[in-house]
Every structure is written in structure tokens, then in C-alpha cells.
Amino acid sequence: MPEDRRLASDDRRLEVLRAIVEDYVETQEPVGSRALVERHQLGVSPATIRNDMAALEDEGYIAQPHTSAGRVPTDKGYRLFVDRLSQVKALSTPERRAIETFLGGAVDVDDVVQRSVKVLAQLTNQVAIVQYPSLTRSTVRHVEVVALEHARVLLVVITSSGRVEQRVVELESTPGDVLLSDVRSRIMTATIGQRLPEASLRLAEVIGTFAEADRPLVTSVVTTLTHVFSDERSDERIAVGGTANLARFGRDFDSSIRPVLEALEEQVVLLKLLGEATTDPTVRIGLETGSEGLAGTAVVSSAYGTPEQALATLGTLGPTRMDYPGTMAAVGAVARYVGRQLADG
């Protein structure tokens, strides 16, 4: 077959596959050639469409379930469909407004994460998974040292992820305002803009810059800040929402829904599912998730963070029979909005 005819044939078969995927996602029923002719303007005869479907089946992109006359996409077919998407479906104005309104009311990072899970589950009707911003990837944005009564000081740390940590330090004597201002200034100089692990190391150097008499106080402050900077618990925190949506997917899974529920209970599995996503939505289909128990699912994930650095990931889990363009649009939009929230503090 001449090269131009082969390319034209490949393009047409891709259009047939796209039509089968879209119809199957919408109707949940196997798609036959007659339905394709009636619903899509493919510009070829029914016989040609049947030949294209036969070729797609031979190549493993679609399959015939049981004795049905129609065909359904395989994981390989979904993969090709996603890889060849020319554009991601744009969110509607109400959907964009819902994201902005719901997330715009967040008061802190924890609230942002919880709201992100809810709005993502609502937009996609899938299970939403959001990783809390990683402290080890965050940088120090601001440090405040405030005098309290009874020889105590309040330490406030604000990171680039928007997280605010507060600690109260008990001292042996009440420090003067000049000393506290000096402590704050030198700590800021040493740590601002540094990633938390590096900032923790640089803090130790601050102690030696003070007079011997002031070092006990400085040591107490630095020790407490070091514990704050070294606290990596948030790296392992995951928020999950929309689990009830699994009830809608029962017929989509080849096996029991139990493996999916078990996966959602394991933080390590969830972190692996989100994977090393980029800022563009990453799609893992079927066994690409790395779990046989999740063979009937697909995961759409995206990194989020500040313009300088990705801080964590978020995404959704649903059946392989999902609206990929719409899900990718929702995941990408929420990730971008969360990133802006964090960048704006």
C-alpha cells in the first residue's frame, strides 16, 4: 500500500477508535458499526467502518465482549486514544467558577487540600486523591520570633507551600526586644529561600554568631526551629474523597471492587499511584497502575506547586471507561489553582 494511503487509513482508524471510545464511555454499551454510522460523520461506507473495526480488533485496540455484536476499547485502545488526544476538553464556565469559589475560601493549607479533594471528586464523579505539600521540597518563606509573657517566645514559620507552623519556646529568662530582633534577623538571613533540609543545617551556624551569654537562648530557639524544619510527616499524608463514587463503577470492574478499596486504605499504594506526575496530567491505565487489583481502573494525576517547584501531586481514580479529556481537564485545572493559592500565600 502506498505511504499516503496507509497514513490516510491509519488516521481513519484512529477516528473510528475515537468514536468507539466516546460512545462506549457515554452509553456503557458495546459499540457496533451501525451506531458509528448513525452517530458520527466518518465520511466512509459502513463496510469500510467494519473493515477498520476488524483491523483495530486484530491489533488489540478493541475487543468483542462475549457474543455481543459490538466492540469495546481495550486498555491498549484507551492508551492510544489518550496519547493521540489533540486537545483536552475545556472546563465549562460553571465548573471553573466552582473551583475558584470553593477553593478561594480556604483558610490554610489543610483546608486547601480538603477542599481540593471535594471539588475534584464532584467534578469527575471519581475518587479524588490529594497529597499534602511536601515539607522537604518547601523553602522557608518567613520566620517570626514574638515575645510572650513568663519568659516564653512564639516561633512562627511560613513555608513556600503555604504551611504555617507555630511553636512556643520556654526560656530561662525574659529576653530583651533588641536581642529577639537580632535573633530573628540572623535566622531570616540564614534560612529564607532555603529548602527546609538545608535551612535546618544552616541554623546550627547561627548559634556561634552570638555572644557567649546569649547562646543558651539562641540554642533553645534554633533547636525548636530545627525540629520544625525536620518534620517530614506531611510528606506521607494523603487526603481521599469521593470513595462513595465507587458504587457507580461496580459493573465496570472485571473483578471485585475490594482490591480498589484495599488500595485506597494504603498510603504507600496511593503515593505510588500518583507517581512522579508532571504538571501536565499523567494517565495510567489498567496494569500501568502497577497493581493487578487495579486492572480495571485508570489514574489521572498532576503535580502542583509554586512556579519554582512542584510540591506534591493530586489526581483521580476511576474505571478505565472514563471521560479522559474531561478528567484530565479537571485534574489540571485544580492543580493549577492550588498552585496559585500556594504561590500567593
Side-chain angles (χ1 to χ4, degrees):
M1 180 184 296
E3 183 69 12
D4 56 346
R5 287 185 60 190
R6 186 187 66 79
L7 291 175
S9 176
D10 289 346
D11 289 343
R12 190 183 64 247
R13 287 175 184 171
L14 186 61
E15 282 299 297
V16 171
L17 175 63
R18 178 192 57 76
I20 292 173
V21 170
E22 291 177 352
D23 282 7
Y24 184 58
V25 167
E26 181 178 345
T27 67
Q28 304 182 38
E29 297 293 340
V31 181
S33 58
R34 179 178 299 179
L36 293 179
V37 171
E38 294 174 351
R39 291 169 59 90
H40 301 273
Q41 302 297 320
L42 296 174
V44 293
S45 68
T48 299
I49 290 178
R50 286 194 292 271
N51 289 336
D52 288 338
M53 292 178 70
L56 288 169
E57 187 171 7
D58 288 342
E59 294 169 1
Y61 294 113
I62 59 176
Q64 183 178 25
H66 311 300
T67 58
S68 169
R71 303 294 188 274
V72 299
T74 62
D75 287 357
K76 182 180 179 181
Y78 285 126
R79 180 77 268 166
L80 181 61
F81 172 79
V82 170
D83 290 344
R84 296 295 182 88
L85 277 178
S86 59
Q87 61 183 16
V88 174
K89 183 189 299 182
L91 291 183
S92 67
T93 299
E95 287 173 331
R96 291 197 303 271
R97 188 178 297 120
I99 294 174
E100 294 173 1
T101 301
F102 197 60
L103 294 185
V107 297
D108 56 26
V109 174
D110 288 339
D111 199 14
V112 168
V113 170
Q114 294 300 325
R115 287 170 180 255
S116 299
V117 162
K118 290 180 181 178
V119 74
L120 200 50
Q122 291 171 359
L123 286 173
T124 62
N125 289 318
Q126 297 173 25
V127 179
I129 309 167
V130 180
Q131 180 186 13
Y132 279 78
S134 169
L135 281 181
T136 55
R137 299 180 191 174
S138 302
T139 59
V140 180
R141 178 179 289 176
H142 185 75
V143 177
E144 193 59 71
V145 183
V146 182
L148 301 176
E149 295 180 345
H150 309 301
R152 297 180 303 159
V153 295
L154 171 67
L155 303 180
V156 181
V157 177
I158 303 176
T159 71
S160 60
S161 68
R163 184 171 295 279
V164 178
E165 297 285 341
Q166 300 183 36
R167 299 289 190 278
V168 174
V169 183
E170 301 282 349
L171 303 174
E172 294 182 358
S173 60
T174 302
D177 292 340
V178 174
L179 177 57
L180 281 187
S181 177
D182 197 15
V183 170
R184 173 187 174 278
S185 177
R186 297 191 200 187
I187 288 175
M188 290 273 284
T189 299
T191 62
I192 294 303
Q194 298 292 318
R195 291 176 62 251
L196 267 63
E198 285 75 21
S200 182
L201 294 175
R202 295 188 64 173
L203 277 176
E205 302 172 1
V206 173
I207 299 174
T209 65
F210 283 86
E212 192 74 32
D214 296 328
R215 289 181 184 178
L217 178 148
V218 179
T219 299
S220 295
V221 171
V222 165
T223 300
T224 301
L225 282 176
T226 300
H227 289 159
V228 173
F229 291 168
S230 303
D231 186 355
E232 301 178 11
R233 289 173 301 171
S234 65
D235 287 5
E236 302 174 356
R237 294 178 64 195
I238 292 284
V240 179
T243 307
N245 286 328
L246 288 174
R248 302 172 55 254
F249 306 150
R251 58 178 293 185
D252 287 303
F253 296 130
D254 294 331
S255 57
S256 169
I257 206 170
R258 179 173 295 177
V260 181
L261 292 172
E262 291 176 347
L264 293 175
E265 293 176 356
E266 295 293 334
Q267 299 284 69
V268 174
V269 174
L270 293 180
L271 287 169
K272 185 178 179 181
L273 285 177
L274 291 179
E276 293 297 325
T278 64
T279 51
D280 293 321
T282 300
V283 181
R284 293 178 176 81
I285 301 169
L287 292 178
E288 292 175 356
T289 61
S291 172
E292 291 186 7
L294 300 179
T297 70
V299 175
V300 179
S301 58
S302 176
Y304 72 84
T306 65
E308 295 78 22
Q309 188 175 42
L311 297 173
T313 52
L314 57 77
T316 64
L317 179 148
T320 53
R321 183 197 58 79
M322 70 162 62
D323 174 11
Y324 288 98
T327 301
M328 292 167 69
V331 168
V334 172
R336 287 190 297 273
Y337 195 87
V338 171
R340 288 200 298 270
Q341 289 276 83
L342 298 180
D344 293 341

